[in-house]
Amino acid sequence: MTATTSWEELVTSALLGTDRRPSAPAAPGQDAPVALLDAAALHTVRRRAGLRPAPAAALPEPAPHDPRTPLPEAARHRLTQLLAGRAAPSGGRRGVAPDLAELLPQWLAAANDHGYRAPASALPALLDAARARTDLRPQALAFAGPRGLWLARLNSDWKFALRGGFGSAQPGGPDHGAALPPPDDGEAVRRLWDEGLFAERAALLGSVRATDPAAGRALLATTWAIERAEDRLMFLDSLRTGLSDADEPFLEQALADRSRNVRSTAAELLSALPHSALAARMARRASSCVGPDRSGDDAAAIVVEAPHECDAAMQRDGVIPNPPSGRGERSWWLGQLIESAPLATWTARLGGRTAEEIVALPVGDGWRDELHAGWCRAAVRQRDAAWARALLGPPTTPPAAGPGTQSLAERSKLLSVLPADERSFWVASFIAAHGLSEAFQLLGVCAVPWSEPLGRAVVDALDIARDAGSYPWSFSGVMGLAERCLDPGEADRLEVLTTLPDEPEGASPGAGGYWSEAFQRLVSTLRLRAAMRSELAPAGLDG
């Protein structure tokens, strides 16, 4: 074999085949392919031996200082345990051990509330956890702080941390560790707004808007005309924070936007301002379609005449002309008018009646469900507790017979309008009357930890299901919520439910064992949450 054969010639011979393009002379008795491989091996050794070390890369800047309080030692150990934990299996028996993966979000929220900083040794595992679970990212990255962002810039696996507004400063920039410039630093805000990536600009706009709504709107106005349609839509959504009548002129201009989605969002925001010109236009349109039935003596009924067309003015105000599949045009247009009109419209239109009295009125020609559904959406959009209360009705009333809507998703939205205590009491009463089969979505909008009446209602309903021999896995979702949302102080009271119950006749085989395990897991999880709370409490304070 000759040393004059180049590496490029060997590669060409390998690609074309040694029969068509021999390149390395073979020794006596040696096949051409073997000679090629020998030559390639020799070249490889020569190439490696001849490599020169590359210039050393510049060392990264030191990690920025994080002035927050260090974690107590017990909480450090707990964090390590939670980060190493794995989610419970999706099927089969879960056993009695707490699901550590489901407790990590709660732990992070509590640590952030106390103002602790993440231990440097925990940052890689914390960033890995946030990479795997998007629901963890806001709390995990807030806890990681500036040092977490510094570390994320050194590993492409963690680049997500630099895209969502958590790490907007650019490497090598003047503020290498900060997440966002202070909202009152006009020069830094404007520079990032003009030069930043979309995610950085979106986070910046949200930050400025939360601090000074007028300044946020003014910042958006400076580049509105040159933004892409999809970006205008996302930026416009930030105006929900601090929305006020002062935003009306800007939103009115957005009604003429060339993007239908932007126009619809602007119309939705304007309809949430009951004194806006758009709200007044919608009120006139809705009033022309819905009114008292004058055929009787006391007008104690509602008559509906849905729109016959969706004209250009309606479309400019955000009414979408084409209904989804299976939906009639006129009912589609009517629903949009109802949800966009101020709810005060109906008190004046229907004889000064209260929301509860209006909802109780009969509606002619089968329009009741459409009318009530529109009012539900309006109550959520306008955050009107009186109307939400009226549309929910008494919690003891069966959903199919009550006012408003039978949809649990819509009911959950209505509940979110009510004060936290009232919300919990309503759901507790609903569970006491109807059980847990329809309560999962409603429980999701209740404040954590659950109030004592709500927690007791959930546990009592689970106990009733256990005594009836019901399938325990049918209630696994509620049990999982209870593990995360019950007051940890309830653990001792629930100890009695961990015993193996007698299985009634006709019960699901083995259900008693499953129920016993589920309640043992619930009790152990509550005790673990109590320990976590105590470990995070500042020294000298009761957790």
Side-chain angles (χ1 to χ4, degrees):
M1 181 183 64
T2 177
T4 60
T5 305
S6 69
W7 177 259
E8 289 73 16
E9 290 174 321
L10 293 175
V11 170
T12 301
S13 181
L15 291 173
L16 297 178
T18 53
D19 291 339
R20 297 177 57 190
R21 184 72 175 270
S23 58
Q30 186 182 38
D31 292 335
V34 175
L36 174 65
L37 293 176
D38 285 346
L42 180 61
H43 268 281
T44 298
V45 172
R46 182 182 296 116
R47 284 158 60 90
R48 288 176 178 174
L51 285 177
R52 295 182 179 180
L59 292 175
E61 296 180 11
H65 175 64
D66 189 339
R68 294 176 296 175
T69 306
L71 270 177
E73 189 62 26
R76 286 173 61 103
H77 290 305
R78 184 70 67 191
L79 174 61
T80 301
Q81 180 188 36
L82 294 175
L83 288 172
R86 294 292 182 265
S90 58
R93 302 180 83 134
R94 289 179 51 196
V96 299
D99 186 347
L100 298 182
E102 288 302 317
L103 295 180
L104 183 56
Q106 233 176 75
W107 189 96
L108 289 170
N112 286 330
D113 287 344
H114 284 297
Y116 290 123
R117 72 166 179 258
S121 60
L123 288 176
L126 188 63
L127 290 169
D128 281 340
R131 179 193 179 200
R133 291 179 55 182
T134 56
D135 64 306
L136 281 180
R137 289 182 184 178
Q139 294 284 8
L141 295 177
F143 183 56
R147 290 185 173 184
L149 298 178
W150 173 86
L151 189 61
R153 294 189 180 96
L154 305 178
N155 186 338
S156 60
D157 288 345
W158 301 327
K159 60 186 177 183
F160 68 88
L162 311 177
R163 289 200 301 256
F166 306 102
S168 58
Q170 297 299 313
D175 194 10
H176 195 67
L180 289 171
D184 57 356
D185 186 345
E187 182 179 350
V189 165
R190 186 53 196 256
R191 181 170 62 251
L192 182 57
W193 181 251
D194 290 340
E195 302 174 3
L197 301 175
F198 169 74
E200 298 168 343
R201 299 175 71 221
L204 176 67
L205 180 59
S207 173
V208 175
R209 179 74 180 176
T211 304
D212 185 345
R217 184 182 64 250
L219 184 66
L220 178 57
T222 60
T223 59
W224 178 259
I226 60 174
E227 302 287 356
R228 299 182 306 167
E230 56 267 35
D231 293 350
R232 291 199 305 276
L233 179 62
M234 296 296 292
F235 289 145
L236 194 63
D237 202 58
S238 70
L239 297 189
R240 296 181 192 277
T241 301
L243 183 67
S244 70
D245 291 337
D247 298 314
E248 182 180 1
F250 183 87
L251 293 172
E252 273 285 342
Q253 291 181 1
L255 289 177
D257 196 272
R258 56 187 178 274
S259 165
R260 188 187 72 178
N261 290 332
V262 172
R263 294 196 302 271
S264 296
T265 301
E268 179 190 344
L269 294 173
L270 283 167
S271 67
L273 299 173
H275 303 295
S276 68
L278 179 137
R281 295 192 295 270
M282 289 299 194
R284 287 193 296 271
R285 292 176 181 126
S287 295
S288 70
C289 297
V290 179
D293 185 354
R294 302 295 185 185
S295 62
D297 294 333
D298 57 358
I302 297 175
V303 63
V304 175
E305 178 68 25
H308 290 274
E309 65 172 340
C310 182
D311 58 31
M314 289 170 61
Q315 293 182 45
R316 181 186 181 276
D317 283 345
V319 178
I320 300 173
N322 299 321
S325 177
R327 183 79 179 273
E329 282 185 335
R330 296 182 66 200
S331 65
W332 172 245
W333 299 332
L334 175 68
Q336 293 179 78
L337 297 183
I338 299 300
E339 71 183 58
S340 300
L343 288 164
T345 302
W346 309 112
T347 299
R349 180 74 169 137
L350 299 170
R353 290 179 171 86
T354 65
E356 189 172 356
E357 292 169 338
I358 291 171
V359 168
L361 291 174
V363 182
D365 298 330
W367 286 105
R368 178 185 182 275
D369 290 348
E370 189 66 54
L371 184 60
H372 283 202
W375 281 340
C376 286
R377 295 191 295 272
V380 173
R381 184 179 297 183
Q382 298 171 36
R383 312 304 296 173
D384 192 307
W387 273 87
R389 221 172 271 124
L391 290 160
L392 282 166
T396 54
T397 303
T405 174
Q406 298 179 33
S407 165
L408 291 175
E410 290 290 342
R411 284 177 162 237
S412 298
K413 293 176 183 178
L414 288 171
L415 279 169
S416 71
V417 178
L418 301 181
D421 290 346
E422 183 179 357
R423 195 184 317 160
S424 294
F425 181 80
W426 196 97
V427 177
S429 301
F430 181 92
I431 291 171
H434 310 295
L436 289 169
S437 60
E438 295 184 313
F440 184 78
Q441 283 183 283
L442 306 181
L443 286 167
V445 299
C446 294
V448 178
W450 288 338
S451 65
E452 193 276 336
L454 177 57
R456 186 176 294 274
V458 171
V459 172
D460 288 348
L462 289 170
D463 192 19
I464 291 171
R466 180 190 70 155
D467 289 344
S470 301
Y471 288 98
W473 42 92
S474 300
F475 299 91
S476 59
V478 174
M479 189 65 81
L481 276 178
E483 291 170 13
R484 300 189 296 275
C485 302
L486 269 176
D487 190 323
E490 294 289 301
D492 291 341
R493 186 175 70 82
L494 300 179
E495 186 73 48
V496 66
L497 300 178
T498 63
T499 58
L500 189 65
D502 295 330
E503 294 189 0
E505 185 177 352
S508 173
Y514 275 97
W515 277 111
S516 177
E517 286 185 3
F519 279 112
Q520 288 180 60
R521 185 173 60 253
L522 174 59
V523 170
S524 61
T525 301
L526 294 179
R527 287 179 173 153
L528 176 56
R529 285 175 54 210
M532 286 165 40
R533 184 168 62 182
S534 176
E535 292 160 359
L536 285 167
L541 294 180
D542 185 2

